[in-house]
Amino acid sequence: MKTASTLEKILESGDLAVTSECGPPRGALPQKVREKAEMLRGYVDAVNVTDNQTAMVRMSSLAACIILKQMGLNPILQMVTRDRNRLAMQSDIIGAYAHGIDTMLCLSGDHPHFGDHPMAASVHDIDSIQMIQMVKDMRDEGLFQGGEKIDGPPKMFIGAAANPFADPFELRVSRLAKKMKAGVDFIQTQCIYNLDKFEKWMAGVRDRGLHEKVYILAGITPMKSVGMARYMKNRVPGMDVPDEVVKRMGGVPKDKQADEGIKICLETIERLKNVEGVRGFHLMAIEWEQKVPEIVERAGLLPRPNSVNSGAQNVRGGKP
Amino acid sequence: MITAERKPMEELIQCIKPYRSILLAGCNECVTVCAAGGRKEVGVLASALKMHFMKAGKPLEIQEITLERQCDPEYVEELVSNIDQVEAVLSMACGCGVQEIARRFHNKPVFPAVNTKFMGASERQGVWSERCQGCGDCVLGFTAGICPVARCSKQLFNGPCGGSTNGKCEVDSNVDCAWQLIWDRLKALGLTERYEENLPAKDWRPGGGGGPRKIIREDMAS
């Protein structure tokens, strides 16, 4: 064990892990964080707290993570390279760890172009791979990125994203290998709708034995309507929604589309359970958090192990 | 070259409204090549401004001159004979030229007539694209001749983000994804294994992070 992270414990036990996410509110409303997070209690192992997602200003990930921590949940601090230079990142990482936050996700972040402050300057002092390296060196070497010693290094369990669907596809396995070289411990993937392509990517991952050295959580987002399916297909960069999924959503009456979306999502989870190297699921129910318990339950992912001592079965072969 | 685009007419009019005579100074270098502030553009702008102020009943006297290089003190010195005859200077050079005039003629108001944009190359007739941000520590030798600092919207040093689609950038489908270009070149060069080498966090001091930059060539400086 590299850290005290509950997510690491569960993944190491070999059980399938389940994570979900909580997007902080666009205002100083701590109650909103609590309401969203409370819905997830007992159904997921850890909760990603997004960092100004879609480049819109929201309550800071760190602040919302602290609220989750105070609720007794396991937050995953998301951090993007868009808004902070390496000084700000490192101070927030130390600050987070001082509050008991021991798991984080390193991202480059959506470009300001997509948000409500398109006039803002992007920082991008370092990229997401360099951030992984920085967090790893802080943890394992006890060194700041600038080379000085840290008095009390933060021991973060380090995550990153992977998008098997973006172009060029042929270097997407390599990109994962680069993140691993930098020191990533776990991966949460882009939402998976094109299962054939995902399985092809996983085959490439297994060919190189990468799945034995990193925990991969498959990204799942249930669709509420055919409108959402079309939007994801046409408007969200790097998202791969096959025509048949859109057709299937559109093939049922409007009031049944949400149910169909959940059905697709459950079928996806079932199929991915059998893909070697998939070590869990990351459920991104966008503004639909209340559906997470139902999905987790119907997907047969309950009960969640509370800790390493919960007697979780070693079904996936333990340490990667 | 340094690229530039002329400012909107309305903004220029507001700048020079208080004056009765100006010197309109073009530059024969980059802004000539990108058709923003060369001799031809000086002529066109001078006519347009004269016309405007004539119609407004407030004739404006304009002296036109196009220097060989406005960023070079040797050529800026040529303005000495004109400068006292005008109340202000409107420079059509890049920001470097405007500042050189401000430095040399301390008491003379100077205004930029163009917006200086970027260091770029001509893609085709009438189209220029950014190629370099002057980061001071060139990585082109490593990235197969395509710059991730200037040409990736997120300045990623280690490969494409998750938004690269059909070779285009997620921010603008008219812009090539720099990492797609790098990958294609690495393939053409038989160097794909290089992609898996991680580039470490950049030292931004040579790129301006250490304050305004200066080059001193001991062998040339007097």
Side-chain angles (χ1 to χ4, degrees), chain B residues 177-190:
Chain B
C177 166
W179 276 99
Q180 176 79 56
L181 298 177
I182 293 169
W183 177 248
D184 291 345
R185 278 271 292 165
L186 286 174
K187 275 199 295 186
L189 295 167

Side-chain angles (χ1 to χ4, degrees), chain A residues 20-93:
Chain A
S20 187
E21 71 175 22
C22 169
R26 303 199 73 210
L29 302 167
Q31 196 50 37
K32 282 211 168 183
V33 179
R34 291 187 198 106
E35 281 165 16
K36 273 190 176 183
E38 195 55 52
M39 288 187 250
L40 305 171
R41 189 189 293 278
Y43 291 95
V44 301
D45 306 318
V47 181
N48 287 46
V49 181
T50 52
D51 182 11
N52 286 341
Q53 72 187 100
T54 61
M56 312 260 278
V57 180
R58 291 166 188 277
M59 182 189 293
S60 76
S61 176
L62 173 53
C65 278
I66 293 169
I67 295 174
L68 262 69
K69 196 74 201 168
Q70 288 166 345
M71 294 169 68
L73 297 171
N74 298 312
I76 298 175
L77 176 77
Q78 290 197 188
M79 190 176 282
V80 301
T81 63
R82 179 195 60 221
D83 304 336
R84 289 174 176 76
N85 71 4
R86 61 192 91 178
L87 276 85
M89 286 181 187
Q90 292 178 96
S91 64
D92 276 355
I93 291 164

Side-chain angles (χ1 to χ4, degrees), chain B residues 1 26-39 41 66-67:
Chain B
M1 82 185 105
C27 176
N28 210 19
E29 293 281 355
C30 312
V31 289
T32 294
V33 185
C34 67
R39 195 177 310 277
E41 291 74 31
T66 299
L67 300 178

Side-chain angles (χ1 to χ4, degrees), chain B residues 75-92:
Chain B
Y75 295 106
V76 171
E77 201 58 34
E78 289 172 15
L79 297 180
V80 166
S81 51
N82 307 72
I83 204 83
D84 289 336
Q85 300 162 26
V86 297
E87 293 176 355
V89 180
L90 185 59
S91 165
M92 297 197 80

Side-chain angles (χ1 to χ4, degrees), chain A residues 54-55 82 108-115 118 120 122 124, chain B residues 153-154 170-171:
Chain A
T54 61
R82 179 195 60 221
S108 54
D110 296 313
H111 195 276
H113 170 79
F114 297 104
S122 304
H124 299 306
Chain B
S153 296
K154 296 180 182 174
E170 66 171 24
V171 173

